[in-house]
Amino acid sequence: MRAAARWLRKRLGRRGQWLLLWGLAWVFWGHGVVAAPLPDERPFRLLLQAAPLNCWAWVWIGAGIICAGCSLLRPPWDWPGFIVALLPPLGWAMSYFVAGAVGDYERGLYAGLLWLTLAAAVLQSSRTREHSVPHSRKTGGR
């Protein structure tokens, strides 16, 4: 088991690990919305004008699968995964902000900020460098 985990970590690299984590998170979120629909659809009126909530859940799942697939690619070819990882939380944030601004959902601003923070985390993870800083050599008499 450890050997497999080590192989996967080495194969994915630092950026790929982030993409795999985002991919899994988005698949789990989308599956949760499909399995147990959200009790309050007021924050999603903007999105619901384009498609039912079930379709948006499949957008999350699809984005997660694409992220997981891109996690196997080496930089700089992995960039589509980070773009795809960014889109669902930005859409969710926008919908919450609009719902809060028009008065449909009182907590819209706070929920929008939460999803915007997740989008910022995706952006920050996309800036991860594949190489690490080399360790300094210890000098001494020992």
Side-chain angles (χ1 to χ4, degrees), residues 4 8 10-11 14 28 45 51 54 75 78 83 98 102 108 117 120 122:
L8 185 61
K10 187 175 180 179
R11 171 70 179 107
R14 295 169 77 185
F28 294 151
R45 286 193 182 153
N54 199 32
D78 61 352
I83 299 294
V98 168
V102 299
T117 302
V122 170

Side-chain angles (χ1 to χ4, degrees), residues 56-82:
W56 290 109
W58 283 102
V59 167
W60 281 92
I61 293 169
I65 291 168
I66 292 170
C67 288
C70 287
S71 73
L72 299 170
L73 302 175
R74 289 286 178 209
W77 306 107
D78 61 352
W79 67 266
F82 287 105

Side-chain angles (χ1 to χ4, degrees), residues 32-141:
V33 173
V34 169
L38 300 172
D40 190 359
E41 291 188 358
R42 288 179 301 157
F44 307 109
R45 286 193 182 153
L46 178 68
L47 295 174
L48 292 173
Q49 291 175 4
L53 197 56
N54 199 32
C55 290
W56 290 109
W58 283 102
V59 167
W60 281 92
I61 293 169
I65 291 168
I66 292 170
C67 288
C70 287
S71 73
L72 299 170
L73 302 175
R74 289 286 178 209
W77 306 107
D78 61 352
W79 67 266
F82 287 105
I83 299 294
V84 169
L86 191 59
L87 296 177
L90 283 177
W92 234 239
M94 180 184 61
S95 188
Y96 273 109
F97 283 137
V98 168
V102 299
D104 282 348
Y105 192 67
E106 302 78 29
R107 297 178 359 194
L109 174 65
Y110 303 108
L113 287 173
L114 169 69
W115 288 106
L116 202 57
T117 302
L118 280 171
V122 170
L123 277 176
Q124 187 63 32
S125 66
S126 74
R127 297 179 48 140
T128 300
R129 303 221 186 246
E130 202 51 52
H131 66 282
S132 60
V133 177
H135 296 289
S136 62
R137 293 186 178 183
K138 291 185 179 183
T139 57

